[in-house]
Amino acid sequence: MNSIRSTAARAVHRVVTSRTPLDLDRESVPGKDRALLQEIVMGTLRNYQGICAVIRGLTASSKSRLDPLLEALLASGLYQLLYTGIPVYATVSETVNAARELHLGRASGLVNAVMRRAAAPDFRKEDMLKKEEEIYSCPSWLLRRLKTDHPERWQDILKASNSRPPMWIRVDLTRTTRDEYTAKLDESGIAVADTAGDAGIKLAVTCPASRLPGIREGLCYVQDASAQAAAVYLDPQPGERILDACAAPGGKTTHILEITGGKARVDALDISSGRLLRLQENLKSRGLTIRVMEGDAADPAPWWDREPYDRILLDAPCSGTGVLRRHPDIKHIRTEKDIAKLAAGQQAMLEGLWTLLRPGGTLLYSTCSVLRQEDQDQIDAFLERHRDEACHLPLPESVHITGDGDRDGFFYAALARKPLKA
Ligand SMILES: C[S@@+](CC[C@H](N)C(=O)[O-])C[C@H]1O[C@@H](n2cnc3c(N)ncnc32)[C@H](O)[C@@H]1O
């Protein structure tokens, strides 16, 4: 079996060079090592541009680029040294061993030297970070956009993006109370740090989801506090016909069903059959059955039964720029061109779904993006195109959760379809 350090370096290398999404589930590592692997890979990807500046500083290799796998190995080793409390000796020796395992044995002297210099007591990584892209470990296009879209908060947003995310769960209030569930957590030795909304609990320390009491039976769901606002803002009522249009894996579908006590007629739609399987599993573990459809939200004709919906949730596919701390691979995979494509897709979905809404009905649009093009601009343009039939509904709190606190960055807008004139 490969060591944790070489597995981590390969995983980082794959994301950075081939722009493929991170998939740590495919790595075969002993269960006890999974948390360490995750910490190293996620942390390295979050701080990659900054760490690479340190590597350049320590190897004086600004011109001749290092072998990309060697760079990924050095970056993951330096991440452990400079950003975690993992003991120096273990980090240096394990990283040098991993170089041999990765057939980079000829560079083991370089690896050893770089790691030792970074471990010196007077070494300060901040001295080597000059450009903003390095200080914030952020691609320049995204940095530019965040500065424009959030002139007051871009630095806080980026700092939060590079931090370890807290773990939030949502308690199923139809089957327990938050106090009762908190007591169960306490019995399992899991401490609570905070609460949000009616059902949200922030854990003091992240733990494997499998340790959460009743998770298999659906007593709770792992979901950030910002995402928990979707079903609340949708405000679903018993007896209504509701469409969750981009539903998989069902975090918000199950919440809608909980809020309505199973008394609403909820349809769940998604384009991905693989993700719909996960939604079905989530429903089954809670003993819930609803209509689940595979289809394109932008093209309702093949799946819509012609009965209008009272409420529609469009939790649109987006850049994920509000959840970079949970998905740091996004910084390495997305390009600026993707944003225009995503925005065009979101617009097509908004247009497709709008026609399914009954007059007087509500559509809640949400993204986990903090970019205006996918958020406020998208909604402003929609309202401009549908001036006669759509209006903006106020929401209880800021629609733009920028993700600079302990919640993910999210955007919400509620659109009402004006009733027909008599
Ligand atoms: C943000 S995720 C949804 C998360 C989900 N609402 C939850 O809370 O668990 C976006 C989803 O949109 C789906 N999707 C992407 N394009 C779509 C389309 N054209 N029509 C329907 N679903 C689509 C993706 O497969 C993905 O599951």
Side-chain angles (χ1 to χ4, degrees):
M1 187 173 286
N2 295 322
S3 70
I4 300 297
R5 269 69 179 189
S6 68
T7 306
R10 278 208 182 94
V12 168
H13 172 251
R14 205 174 300 124
V15 170
V16 172
T17 56
S18 51
R19 294 181 176 270
T20 35
L22 180 63
D23 180 10
L24 285 180
D25 290 344
R26 63 183 261 175
E27 307 298 348
S28 60
V29 290
K32 66 176 176 42
D33 293 335
R34 197 151 276 285
L36 177 60
L37 176 71
Q38 171 139 343
E39 165 65 27
I40 298 174
V41 174
M42 302 284 266
T44 306
L45 290 174
R46 273 186 210 115
N47 298 286
Y48 202 74
Q49 289 89 334
I51 299 176
C52 284
V54 172
I55 296 175
R56 285 193 295 277
L58 290 176
T59 59
S61 75
S62 56
K63 293 207 179 72
S64 55
R65 255 206 95 180
L66 292 175
D67 173 285
L69 182 57
L70 176 58
E71 182 183 271
L73 175 68
L74 279 173
S76 49
L78 288 174
Y79 170 71
Q80 295 163 68
L81 278 186
L82 303 174
Y83 295 81
T84 75
I86 300 172
V88 173
Y89 173 75
T91 301
V92 176
S93 67
E94 297 282 332
T95 308
V96 172
N97 290 343
R100 296 198 191 97
E101 217 181 297
L102 294 167
H103 309 293
L104 299 167
R106 277 193 307 175
S108 53
L110 174 82
V111 173
N112 193 29
V114 168
M115 301 289 281
R116 292 206 176 278
R117 283 170 72 186
D122 59 344
F123 180 79
R124 273 174 41 87
K125 66 177 180 301
E126 290 73 19
D127 296 342
M128 298 199 161
L129 308 182
K130 302 280 185 276
K131 300 182 194 155
E132 282 175 342
E133 288 85 341
E134 297 165 356
I135 296 168
Y136 296 104
S137 280
C138 182
S140 50
W141 69 268
L142 182 56
L143 193 68
R144 188 168 17 85
R145 287 233 176 181
L146 289 173
K147 281 183 176 183
T148 312
D149 290 358
H150 303 280
E152 310 287 330
R153 296 170 88 163
W154 64 272
Q155 285 155 304
D156 294 334
I157 294 174
L158 283 169
K159 276 184 208 149
S161 293
N162 290 342
S163 64
R164 292 179 188 88
M167 185 167 179
W168 283 94
I169 54 176
R170 188 189 84 231
V171 176
D172 180 353
L173 296 178
T174 62
R175 293 159 63 195
T176 184
T177 64
R178 185 156 57 192
D179 286 348
E180 223 173 64
Y181 193 78
T182 302
K184 281 195 200 320
L185 287 172
D186 196 40
E187 278 164 27
S188 310
I190 300 173
V192 167
D194 202 358
T195 58
D198 293 336
I201 294 180
K202 183 168 103 174
L203 304 184
V205 179
T206 300
C207 73
S210 55
R211 274 195 62 205
L212 296 169
I215 181 101
R216 270 187 213 94
E217 300 78 49
L219 211 55
C220 73
Y221 193 93
V222 177
Q223 187 179 44
D224 187 85
S226 293
Q228 293 184 31
V232 177
Y233 290 171
L234 184 68
D235 196 24
Q237 301 297 319
E240 287 184 334
R241 184 159 205 251
I242 295 169
L243 173 67
D244 187 355
C246 289
K252 300 182 184 80
T253 322
T254 49
H255 198 189
I256 294 168
L257 290 164
E258 285 163 23
I259 289 179
T260 51
K263 293 199 181 77
R265 287 185 296 149
V266 180
D267 290 349
L269 173 84
D270 204 279
I271 205 162
S272 155
S273 54
R275 289 173 67 92
L276 280 173
L277 285 179
R278 288 175 55 205
L279 178 130
Q280 296 278 23
E281 279 162 22
N282 274 323
L283 292 170
K284 198 166 154 211
S285 66
R286 289 163 173 78
L288 300 167
T289 30
I290 57 165
R291 193 150 74 119
V292 174
M293 303 176 287
E294 185 180 332
D296 181 353
D299 179 21
W303 51 265
W304 186 40
D305 63 5
R306 306 294 180 274
E307 191 190 338
Y309 288 98
D310 297 294
R311 290 174 206 264
I312 296 176
L313 171 62
L314 170 52
D315 187 27
C318 69
S319 61
T321 42
V323 290
L324 294 177
R325 57 189 187 157
R326 296 192 191 279
H327 303 284
D329 50 341
I330 290 175
K331 288 200 280 194
H332 303 273
I333 293 167
R334 288 254 181 265
T335 64
E336 188 161 23
K337 281 194 190 132
D338 294 337
I339 308 303
K341 269 193 230 151
L342 285 161
Q346 292 150 1
Q347 178 179 330
M349 286 181 222
L350 271 169
E351 294 295 343
L353 295 171
W354 184 248
T355 55
L356 319 190
L357 199 61
R358 73 162 169 78
T362 312
L363 185 149
L364 184 75
Y365 175 76
S366 71
T367 69
C368 54
S369 163
V370 289
L371 300 180
R372 279 192 71 99
Q373 191 174 359
E374 300 176 272
D375 297 349
Q376 196 62 53
D377 290 355
Q378 185 73 268
I379 293 306
D380 290 347
F382 182 84
L383 287 167
E384 188 59 35
R385 290 194 300 277
H386 295 269
R387 223 174 304 153
D388 298 337
E389 44 167 7
C391 62
H392 214 160
L393 290 177
L395 287 172
E397 62 175 314
S398 163
V399 293
H400 226 144
I401 305 165
T402 45
D404 52 356
D406 64 354
R407 299 173 60 168
D408 286 349
F410 249 79
F411 175 81
Y412 287 107
L415 302 168
R417 183 158 192 169
K418 292 180 187 166
L420 293 173
K421 288 199 183 98

